[in-house]
Amino acid sequence: MTEIPTRIKNYENMGIGLFIHWGLYSQLAKGEWTEYIHQHDQVEYEKLINSFAADNFDADKIVLAAKQMGAKYIVLTTKHHEGFFLYDTKCLSTFDAIHSLAHRDLIKEFVNACNKYDIKPFFYMATYDWHSPLYQNNFNDYLDYLLNSVKILCQNYGPIGGFWFDGDWDKKDANWKHSRLYGMIRKYQPEAIIINNTGLKERGQISNSEIDVVTYERETPSQVNHGFDDKYVAGEASITMNKHWGFAKNDLDFKSGKELIENIVHCRGIGANILLNIGLTGSGKIPEINHAIMQQIGNWTEMASEAIYKTRPEAGVQANGNQKDLVLGNDKNKYLFIHDLEIVGNDNVVLGGEGNTLRSFEGFFKEIKAISWLDNGEKLSFMQEPKNGTLTINASGYVYGSDWCVRIAKVTFK
């Protein structure tokens, strides 16, 4: 396998991204596919452009919230399947933000905020399009339309972290002219990551040699195949916080902070990034419940930062026993991710963490100097047999008043 390109290494080091779905559909608050699934009349639906004011869209606040969550990059929908562009299409289309009530280039505001706060901006672009008649009637001309819409993004917003395409699965046997599209991106944005979502039915597949990342929509897989045709590709799982990608006010089925933190840990443990999704309201705000969950995750990522970003899983180093426990490492240290610990109480408040909790691992042949919890620095007792690589630690329960959902022990070596 050839050497891993620097852009892919940098992408993997970012670890956690925020996915943002926003468009005309957000005003209806029934999810991003409402036009199609609820069979809206297209002419009436597209009149939503006249009420799209974006009066609560504050790119600085949104990017800061992502940064505080621990995201290193943000993927924003520049155009979803409804065909509405959040940017100035330079007369390519009148179905864009400049021709809406907002009269603003919202992607320009997004990119400026990302650059201001050191977050990488990524552009989602739907290839499947319900608005343009060319998609069904003249596909070759539609591909020119798509190419030109991406070219505008390549040429007018400075260096871009990457492009996230979605929709080829609707015409999976068509010639999408990928080489032409990706070649244009490489010309104008040579360091941009190229991702093309393969959809629910072909997760983890790759459609072109220029693809840098394989995707797993709504799934955290058990493993990622990083090798395709002698090229190393990264992996990314995209996860919703409830059941919809776009804002849906009546979807109350939100995942817990614990489940999302465990998803983050699992993805890093298989060598993949994770993209956590929110849908902005019709006016462009982060819904309060999403913001609260993001803050909760941010508390954990702040504590765990040295263990989750620039670390990788290592062959032969793994946990025994608890199937969720795992090990990540870098050139200097290793980190043990311990699940399902309880809180230490007392005789009147027994919370289950009072007893010894032994956890074992293999692949530790180098002599260990110390092991301590990242959250409070407490040193842990351990037994190591360097000859056969076994390690057993006493994973003490949480201090009363805390529960990190997944606790991390730092291993330093002599």
Side-chain angles (χ1 to χ4, degrees):
M1 188 176 293
T2 58
E3 185 178 354
I4 302 173
T6 299
R7 68 175 181 275
I8 295 181
K9 291 179 182 178
N10 292 339
Y11 168 83
E12 290 186 321
N13 284 340
M14 292 191 290
I16 302 172
L18 180 69
F19 210 167
I20 301 178
H21 277 68
W22 190 37
L24 298 184
Y25 50 82
S26 305
Q27 297 178 87
L28 299 179
K30 294 181 179 179
E32 72 291 347
W33 272 61
T34 181
E35 179 186 2
Y36 186 94
I37 291 176
H38 298 140
Q39 299 180 345
H40 290 278
D41 176 80
Q42 186 178 34
V43 173
E44 291 301 312
Y45 179 87
E46 292 181 355
K47 289 180 181 178
L48 288 169
I49 191 174
N50 299 320
S51 55
F52 188 76
D55 47 4
N56 286 315
F57 180 73
D58 186 325
D60 278 39
K61 287 184 179 180
I62 291 168
V63 171
L64 274 175
K67 190 178 183 75
Q68 290 164 357
M69 185 190 81
K72 304 295 186 182
Y73 63 106
I74 302 173
V75 181
L76 175 60
T77 52
T78 64
K79 182 198 76 166
H80 206 263
H81 305 310
E82 66 181 3
F84 174 70
F85 298 93
L86 289 180
Y87 59 97
D88 181 359
T89 59
K90 312 294 185 184
C91 298
L92 179 69
S93 171
T94 58
F95 199 48
D96 65 10
I98 293 295
H99 291 86
S100 74
L101 184 58
H103 298 301
R104 292 152 58 194
D105 186 331
L106 301 164
I107 295 301
K108 177 72 73 176
E109 296 175 20
F110 162 68
V111 171
N112 289 344
C114 285
N115 292 337
K116 182 177 179 179
Y117 297 110
D118 194 27
I119 296 289
K120 288 290 184 183
F122 278 58
F123 293 156
Y124 169 106
M125 172 61 71
T127 57
Y128 176 25
D129 192 302
W130 305 326
H131 168 75
S132 173
L134 295 174
Y135 184 81
Q136 297 296 345
N137 301 328
N138 191 330
F139 191 60
N140 281 329
D141 283 357
Y142 172 75
L143 292 179
D144 291 341
Y145 173 76
L146 175 64
L147 179 80
N148 288 328
S149 68
V150 176
K151 188 174 183 180
I152 292 167
L153 292 172
C154 285
Q155 292 183 318
N156 292 280
Y157 299 91
I160 303 305
F163 290 85
W164 210 100
F165 295 104
D166 182 28
D168 291 11
W169 35 261
D170 181 64
K171 289 181 181 287
K172 61 183 180 180
D173 295 325
N175 179 6
W176 283 90
K177 300 183 180 179
H178 288 139
S179 295
R180 183 181 70 152
L181 176 63
Y182 301 157
M184 184 271 293
I185 293 173
R186 291 282 181 242
K187 177 181 178 180
Y188 294 108
Q189 296 281 345
E191 297 304 312
I193 290 291
I194 297 177
I195 304 169
N196 197 325
N197 180 30
T198 44
L200 295 172
K201 297 177 182 178
E202 296 185 353
R203 297 179 178 112
Q205 301 300 308
I206 191 168
S207 56
N208 186 277
S209 61
E210 287 294 338
I211 294 295
D212 295 312
V213 182
V214 292
T215 61
Y216 297 83
E217 181 180 347
R218 293 186 184 274
E219 179 184 64
T220 53
S222 59
Q223 62 181 9
V224 174
N225 186 354
H226 289 290
F228 291 89
D229 297 329
D230 294 326
K231 176 185 176 179
Y232 180 93
V233 294
E236 178 186 73
S238 51
I239 304 295
T240 56
M241 290 189 184
N242 54 6
K243 295 296 180 65
H244 296 78
W245 298 97
F247 178 56
K249 69 177 181 180
N250 292 333
D251 180 357
L252 309 181
D253 189 6
F254 281 83
K255 298 178 176 70
S256 69
K258 180 184 183 210
E259 182 177 352
L260 292 170
I261 288 168
E262 288 185 342
N263 285 159
I264 292 170
V265 171
H266 174 79
C267 284
R268 299 307 284 155
I270 59 172
N273 285 21
I274 188 166
L275 199 52
L276 299 176
N277 178 78
I278 62 171
L280 301 185
T281 66
S283 65
K285 289 180 63 176
I286 299 176
E288 290 183 5
I289 187 168
N290 291 102
H291 198 187
I293 294 171
M294 291 168 68
Q295 289 176 318
Q296 188 178 21
I297 292 170
N299 288 341
W300 186 86
T301 57
E302 182 180 16
M303 176 276 297
S305 60
E306 72 174 82
I308 59 172
Y309 293 111
K310 295 184 179 181
T311 52
R312 299 288 190 277
E314 299 178 40
V317 182
Q318 60 191 33
N320 291 324
N322 189 306
Q323 295 182 349
K324 292 188 290 186
D325 290 351
L326 57 89
V327 183
L328 294 176
N330 53 32
D331 293 338
K332 186 177 180 181
N333 303 309
K334 288 184 173 59
Y335 300 88
L336 316 177
F337 289 76
I338 310 297
H339 295 69
D340 303 323
L341 293 176
E342 302 291 346
I343 300 170
V344 176
N346 67 14
D347 290 343
N348 297 305
V349 185
V350 177
L351 299 175
E354 294 77 19
N356 290 340
T357 305
L358 300 180
R359 300 291 174 97
S360 63
F361 302 85
E362 61 183 46
F364 285 84
F365 296 97
K366 187 176 180 180
E367 192 171 357
I368 294 171
K369 178 181 179 181
I371 303 176
S372 58
W373 290 128
L374 271 190
D375 57 87
N376 64 1
E378 176 193 349
K379 290 190 175 182
L380 304 180
S381 58
F382 65 92
M383 298 176 289
Q384 182 191 15
E385 297 182 22
K387 288 185 178 180
N388 60 22
T390 60
L391 169 67
T392 302
I393 71 167
N394 179 15
S396 55
Y398 293 111
V399 177
Y400 186 77
S402 68
D403 187 331
W404 291 100
C405 301
V406 180
R407 205 168 191 190
I408 305 170
K410 179 178 181 178
V411 180
T412 57
F413 297 92
K414 292 183 178 179

